[in-house]
Amino acid sequence: MKRVFSGVKPTGHLTLGNYLGAMRRWAAVDQHEADALFCIVDLHALTVDHDPARVRRLSRQAATLLLAAGLDPKLCTVFVQSHVDEHARLSYLLECVATDGEMRRMIQYKEKAARERGRGGSVRLSLLTYPVLMAADILAYGTDQVPVGDDQTQHVELARDLAVRFNQRYGHTFVVPRATPPQVAARVMNLQDPTAKMGKSDNSGPGIVYLLDEPDVVRKKVMRAVTDSGREVVYDRAAQPGVANLLEILAACTGGNPSELSGVYESYGALKSATAEAVVEVLRPVQEKHRELCADPGYVEGVLRDGAERARAMARPVVDAAYRAIGLLPASAATTAAAAADIEVTA
């Protein structure tokens, strides 16, 4: 079977965009058609100023929501990144293959670094190098496909480049992965700014529908969504981004087509009302399952423990092979040599 790897970063509460753009497909398709691993990439949350307790809380919440969304630990591997040492082990090796220029060309680094400097803050080195850690996340498991949105495609391309370069210099070690963008609802936009992604790290709360928002909160956010000048409901992403966003969300929730749905509604109010109810219904089973799982925290802990064990067993042979290929002395050989030297000195 092909191997699929993807993850979520615990830097904010998971959103409708995370669910429609990725999590729902992971549960409905990827875990059934592939040897799939889904990871809470908590190490990535440390690249900016953070509250340690919040990172732990969001990591647990994200794991619980992945299971509530339908991921089945009997079909896939769900785990926390920091529970598997091979991610950090491989990351340093790949830093020895990557270049400074590659890191500084990463779009997300440029944007986040500019925001940090604009606030008068300093930029952590990890913000520059974390795409290499992301490459290690992928390459450690012999991943074939990485389902990502278009904002993460550049990082998968880096993983490909590093895998090819490592293989050419030190011998074939890594599978060269490829990005597989989702076909539907790949990018749900902010309800208050339909030109911007609905991101979980965004502070514009009214424009973001979180997976755990109460139904009335969801309705209020959708009904207050920014639309466009004019009154006609037309699906035109360029000319009417607000209406187009609502139509795409409605289509993703109901299995419809945005263009066809645009002819059903005669007013923005009717479109908003229908979209709000569709979102509430899509989130209802996820929220119900989340409540069940929260009542049994031991189950979630067990899933993460077992997932880390399986992930470690998959990653360790690959990372050990990379260590040998790049020229590092195997631990067993180093121990034997040290023992022999100690015997000679003693003698």
Side-chain angles (χ1 to χ4, degrees):
M1 295 179 70
K2 64 186 177 184
R3 181 162 289 170
V4 167
F5 178 96
S6 198
V8 294
K9 185 163 58 174
T11 51
H13 299 286
L14 294 179
T15 72
L16 178 67
N18 296 127
Y19 181 69
L20 296 180
M23 294 164 60
R24 185 169 63 172
R25 177 180 169 83
W26 296 349
V29 178
D30 292 325
Q31 69 173 343
H32 298 282
E33 296 183 355
D35 182 7
L37 299 99
F38 301 107
C39 182
I40 314 303
V41 287
D42 54 343
L43 296 176
H44 293 297
L46 311 185
T47 60
V48 294
D49 189 32
H50 63 278
D51 175 4
R54 186 171 187 264
V55 171
R56 285 191 290 270
R57 185 169 63 252
L58 289 176
S59 295
R60 175 179 289 278
Q61 183 185 90
T64 306
L65 280 169
L66 288 181
L67 297 174
L71 291 187
D72 184 345
K74 296 178 182 178
L75 300 175
C76 64
T77 302
V78 181
F79 67 105
V80 176
Q81 179 189 34
S82 63
H83 295 177
V84 180
D85 293 343
E86 278 64 31
H87 292 255
R89 288 181 62 208
L90 182 56
S91 182
Y92 180 73
L93 293 197
L94 296 180
E95 284 187 14
C96 296
V97 177
T99 68
D100 176 75
E102 284 177 313
M103 297 299 98
R104 296 187 187 278
R105 286 195 295 272
M106 291 287 123
I107 295 172
Q108 291 205 14
Y109 169 73
K110 291 180 180 179
E111 294 176 348
K112 292 180 180 179
R115 285 199 296 270
E116 287 295 322
R117 294 188 182 103
R119 290 194 291 260
S122 59
V123 179
R124 300 186 182 191
L125 178 61
S126 56
L127 185 61
L128 178 66
T129 60
Y130 94 90
V132 177
L133 176 58
M134 185 179 293
D137 299 338
I138 296 167
L139 299 181
Y141 296 99
T143 303
D144 300 293
Q145 297 181 5
V146 187
V148 293
D150 55 7
D151 59 324
Q152 293 293 335
T153 300
Q154 187 185 38
H155 289 151
V156 180
E157 288 302 315
L158 174 68
R160 289 175 55 85
D161 292 342
L162 295 181
V164 169
R165 191 177 307 155
F166 192 102
N167 290 346
Q168 290 175 341
R169 290 180 182 177
Y170 306 114
H172 184 78
T173 305
F174 299 117
V175 173
V176 180
R178 64 184 180 90
T180 54
Q183 299 301 311
V184 179
R187 184 173 259 205
V188 176
M189 312 307 281
N190 190 296
L191 295 175
Q192 292 298 312
D193 180 5
T195 64
K197 179 183 176 182
M198 186 183 284
K200 60 182 178 295
S201 301
D202 197 331
N203 292 321
S204 58
I208 304 171
V209 175
Y210 297 105
L211 295 187
L212 296 179
D213 278 346
E214 294 292 331
D216 285 345
V217 174
V218 172
R219 293 185 182 100
K220 184 179 295 186
K221 289 180 177 180
V222 176
M223 293 305 294
R224 293 180 178 178
V226 169
T227 48
D228 311 284
S229 59
R231 296 182 178 180
E232 189 176 359
V233 178
V234 177
Y235 180 61
D236 186 332
R237 169 56 72 181
Q240 292 189 304
V243 172
N245 188 36
L246 290 171
L247 287 167
E248 289 177 355
I249 292 172
L250 178 60
C253 291
T254 62
N257 178 282
S259 296
E260 294 176 358
L261 288 170
S262 66
V264 175
Y265 302 98
E266 297 181 354
S267 68
Y268 292 168
L271 172 61
K272 288 181 176 182
S273 180
T275 302
E277 293 307 317
V279 172
V280 167
E281 290 307 312
V282 159
L283 296 185
R284 190 185 305 281
V286 177
Q287 294 177 351
E288 290 175 353
K289 184 63 176 178
H290 178 265
R291 284 192 290 270
E292 291 179 15
L293 292 170
C294 286
D296 186 9
Y299 173 76
V300 177
E301 291 175 4
V303 168
L304 296 179
R305 182 179 59 250
D306 294 345
E309 290 179 1
R310 290 201 300 270
R312 197 176 300 117
M314 285 185 265
R316 183 165 293 168
V318 177
V319 177
D320 285 349
Y323 268 59
R324 291 192 298 271
I326 206 170
L328 298 177
L329 190 66
S332 57
T335 302
T336 302
D342 184 63
I343 291 172
E344 288 185 15
V345 171
T346 303

